[in-house]
Amino acid sequence: DGGITQSPKYLFRKEGQNVTLSCEQNLNHDAMYWYRQDPGQGLRLIYYSQIVNDFQKGDIAEGYSVSREKKESFPLTVTSAQKNPTAFYLCASSIGTAPGYGYTFGSGTRLTVV
Amino acid sequence: GENVEQHPSTLSVQEGDSAVIKCTYSDSASNYFPWYKQELGKRPQLIIDIRSNVGEKKDQRIAVTLNKTAKHFSLHITETQPEDSAVYFCAASKSNYQLIWGAGTKLIIKP
């Protein structure tokens, strides 16, 4: 996955259940991001983190939570408060937050509510 | 805040022809404009980018042009091939954590 690994690839969630999506990078990137992608649509930012132990809400943070205890890891928890969680979730990282640094994306996790 | 509009939503071209995808942005302070390609079921990958101090950038069959006055930028793909079929996303930012994405263009290459 080019240095950034997401797991699992497919995840099924029951109603009322919390699930955690894993994102690990070995690129020594400072910044990490979580995006949600719905069929036929663009990318919407859920959360981002510029540095360890710090993270900020994106455009659609409600029903989601994150942590950044290690530089390499940025897990995303989809809580029961997220009413429509079925989507493709993409994690990304970048060297920094100054403009001009491209994102490296993970291969994604497809979450389905059953 | 920044808004990025991308057109068309779907583009179908004959193999060998050129394809052009256009994006407009609203924030004149935006200074970095990347393009990503996403094949079906896969992750987006950066294919080319341009900064606001440059008007055009080329990389083999792909090129990006930027018109700061009009606040629009375009992706040009020449001599299209079947492997160019994908969804293409443009984005604009002042800093990476403010990367604002277009809605995507599905490019279909007809044999």
Side-chain angles (χ1 to χ4, degrees), chain A residues 1-2 33 35 37 41-43 45 48 50 88 90 94 96-107, chain B residues 31-32 36 38 41-46 49 51 87 89 93-104:
Chain A
D1 288 328
Y33 315 82
Y35 283 93
Q37 187 174 33
Q41 296 189 31
L43 303 174
L45 182 64
Y48 65 93
Q50 297 171 257
F88 188 51
L90 284 161
S94 63
T97 54
Y101 294 117
Y103 285 8
T104 300
F105 281 90
S107 56
Chain B
N31 54 15
Y32 174 63
Y36 285 78
Q38 186 179 27
K42 297 189 177 180
R43 58 179 171 161
Q45 292 190 297
L46 179 68
D49 56 13
R51 303 187 189 199
V87 178
F89 293 97
S93 84
K94 296 178 290 189
S95 69
N96 242 17
Y97 67 88
Q98 292 183 20
L99 200 59
I100 308 300
W101 297 82

Side-chain angles (χ1 to χ4, degrees), chain B residues 4-71:
Chain B
V4 176
E5 294 189 359
Q6 184 172 347
H7 299 280
S9 57
T10 303
L11 178 61
S12 184
V13 301
Q14 205 70 38
E15 183 178 348
D17 288 350
S18 296
V20 181
I21 302 170
K22 298 181 180 179
C23 288
T24 60
Y25 60 99
S26 59
D27 191 340
S28 56
S30 293
N31 54 15
Y32 174 63
F33 308 92
W35 285 89
Y36 285 78
K37 175 184 180 182
Q38 186 179 27
E39 297 179 33
L40 187 63
K42 297 189 177 180
R43 58 179 171 161
Q45 292 190 297
L46 179 68
I47 56 171
I48 196 167
D49 56 13
I50 193 168
R51 303 187 189 199
S52 58
N53 59 347
V54 176
E56 184 177 4
K57 184 176 179 181
K58 290 183 180 179
D59 183 3
Q60 299 182 339
R61 295 186 299 108
I62 61 173
V64 56
T65 58
L66 172 65
N67 183 327
K68 287 191 294 183
T69 303
K71 289 189 283 188

Side-chain angles (χ1 to χ4, degrees), chain A residues 56-105:
Chain A
Q56 305 295 328
K57 292 182 179 180
D59 300 320
I60 56 166
E62 186 174 350
Y64 300 97
S65 66
V66 293
S67 63
R68 186 88 186 274
E69 297 177 1
K70 299 186 300 181
K71 187 175 185 178
E72 301 79 19
S73 179
F74 191 40
L76 173 74
T77 297
V78 184
T79 75
S80 57
Q82 172 48 241
K83 298 306 179 188
N84 183 24
T86 295
F88 188 51
Y89 290 87
L90 284 161
C91 178
S93 68
S94 63
I95 294 173
T97 54
Y101 294 117
Y103 285 8
T104 300
F105 281 90

